[in-house]
Structures are given as C-alpha cells and as structure tokens.
C-alpha cells in the first residue's frame, strides 16, 4: 500500500476509492469489466467513486472565494474523509452518498433510503468530532467541524428538520448553501487551518 503524499492538497478526489479498486483487482482489463458488473465489489466502489467526483466538482466552485478543499484525507486506520472543506463559514467534513433514483428522507436523527434506516448521520457526526479533535490539537485553538452529507442522484430528497445537526444536501446545492452560511472565520484563520489540515502526518496519530 502506497502512503499518501505528505501534502494532501495533491490528492485527487476519490484517491482512496481508486486505490481500493486497484487492490481488489490489479488487472486493468478485469477491473474495467467489473466496474459494469453489479454483482461485484468493484461495481459498488465505482458507484461511490462517481459520487465523490461529482461532489468534488461542485465544491471546486468555491475555489477562489476564500475556500479550500482537501480530498481523501486518510486516517491511520485506513478509512478516509471524502472531502474536508475550509472557508469563511467554518470547517466541514463532507461525505458523498450516491443513491441513484432512490427516495432519501432525513428527520432529526436518521436518514432512510427507500424506507430503510442508515447510519449516515451517526457516522458523519462521529467523523466530524474526530476531525475537530485533530485540528484543534494541531492548530492550538478550538476548531468546530460541521458534518455534511452530499446526496448524489437521489430520485427524491426530503429534509424535515429546520436546523439539522448534519447538513444533508443534494450535490447541486453544496456550493450555494455553504457559501451562503454566516462567516465565522477570518481569512487568517482559514489559511492557518488549511495549512495544518493539508499535512498528512497529523491524521496518522
């Protein structure tokens, strides 16, 4: 397994998923075939990869407006943060969830997909807390992190909570909603947090 580059700003969107796909099937031809076979693990990973790429594309619209995004930020355990976005409105750990053609419903505490409960909310909150602890430790001041779920290709997305603990957004709303939130960080704070966050070694502890 190849380590991530020391500067996480070099990571392409979906880096960790691409690597996982290569590990599952080293043969490039068979890997390509399995991407189109719904009964394979590679197919499922490829579905997730598409969601991450679309989310990253939307987040790229924030670039140049005081926002920075890192992709595939890997923990020492091997799991990764799909996207970590830092800007005037704060720090956001963003998970991409692709539910093509399905009905996604979000109340106060859970997301259901076609009526089936998921752990999306609990997992996102846990990740955000962990990211906050890591950044706060290395930045030298408290860094709140808000969890976000980017829902990709859902047939219908319903959000019932007026002030949800996790922002659940259709992927095409990401840049508009995040950029419209009340600023909480100065340009210097954004720059400092981003400078810390892009160092791969801080996530390996």
């Amino acid at each position: 397994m190849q380590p991530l580059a020391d500067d996480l700003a070099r990571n392409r969107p979906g880096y960790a998923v691409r690597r996982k796909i290569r590990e599952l099937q080293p043969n490039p031809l068979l890997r390509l075939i399995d991407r189109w076979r719904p009964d394979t693990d590679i197919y499922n990973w490829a579905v997730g990869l598409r969601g991450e790429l679309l989310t990253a594309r939307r987040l790229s619209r924030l670039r140049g407006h005081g926002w920075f995004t890192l992709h595939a930020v890997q923990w020492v355990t091997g799991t990764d943060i799909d996207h970590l976005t830092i800007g005037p409105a704060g720090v956001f750990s963003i998970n991409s969830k692709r539910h093509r053609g399905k009905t996604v419903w979000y109340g106060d505490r859970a997301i259901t997909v076609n009526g089936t409960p998921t752990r999306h909310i609990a997992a996102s909150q846990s990740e955000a807390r962990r990211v906050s602890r890591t950044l706060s430790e290395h930045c030298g001041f408290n860094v709140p992190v808000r969890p976000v779920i980017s829902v990709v290709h859902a047939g219908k997305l319903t959000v019932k909570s007026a002030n949800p603990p996790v922002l659940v957004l259709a992927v095409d709303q990401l840049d508009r909603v995040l950029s419209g939130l009340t600023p909480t960080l100065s340009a210097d704070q954004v720059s400092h947090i981003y400078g810390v966050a892009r160092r791969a070694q801080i996530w390996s502890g």
Side-chain angles (χ1 to χ4, degrees):
M1 180 183 298
Q2 295 297 317
L4 290 175
D6 184 62
D7 184 359
L8 296 182
R10 300 174 183 170
N11 279 6
R12 295 167 60 197
Y15 177 95
V17 177
R18 295 175 196 272
R19 188 181 61 198
K20 179 65 177 180
I21 290 173
R22 289 195 299 269
E23 289 175 356
L24 287 170
Q25 180 49 267
N27 185 296
L29 178 59
L30 295 179
R31 189 162 64 233
L32 180 62
I33 293 171
D34 284 349
R35 280 174 175 258
W36 299 99
R37 293 174 53 203
D39 59 333
T40 66
D41 287 339
I42 287 178
Y43 175 87
N44 293 326
W45 282 100
V47 167
L49 175 60
R50 180 63 175 159
E52 290 194 32
L53 295 179
L54 290 172
T55 296
R57 186 180 303 167
R58 203 74 194 188
L59 291 171
S60 71
R61 297 187 176 202
L62 294 170
R63 196 182 305 149
H65 299 282
W67 291 78
F68 302 90
T69 298
L70 299 170
H71 306 285
V73 177
Q74 186 176 343
W75 299 102
V76 69
T77 56
T79 60
D80 78 305
I81 306 159
D82 292 349
H83 319 276
L84 184 62
T85 296
I86 303 160
V91 181
F92 302 84
S93 60
I94 302 173
N95 277 282
S96 301
K97 297 296 181 184
R98 191 178 182 209
H99 295 296
R100 188 174 185 86
K102 297 181 180 179
T103 298
V104 178
W105 185 92
Y106 174 40
D108 289 327
R109 299 185 180 182
I111 285 178
T112 62
V113 177
N114 282 355
T116 301
T118 71
R119 294 196 68 257
H120 293 349
I121 296 302
S124 292
Q125 289 178 305
S126 177
E127 177 179 89
R129 288 192 295 267
R130 190 178 180 189
V131 173
S132 177
R133 287 195 300 269
T134 299
L135 290 178
S136 297
E137 176 185 351
H138 291 276
C139 286
F141 54 86
N142 184 44
V143 181
V145 176
R146 188 165 186 183
V148 179
I149 294 175
S150 169
V151 180
V152 180
H153 289 160
K156 182 180 181 181
L157 171 62
T158 302
V159 177
K160 286 294 187 181
S161 178
N163 187 26
V166 177
L167 278 176
V168 177
L169 304 169
V171 65
D172 58 3
Q173 297 178 340
L174 269 179
D175 56 310
R176 178 180 61 80
V177 172
L178 293 185
S179 63
L181 295 174
T182 302
T184 61
L185 297 175
S186 68
D188 286 345
Q189 287 175 313
V190 170
S191 179
H192 179 67
I193 295 170
Y194 175 64
V196 170
R198 66 192 292 180
R199 303 198 318 254
Q201 64 266 30
I202 77 164
W203 307 100
S204 61

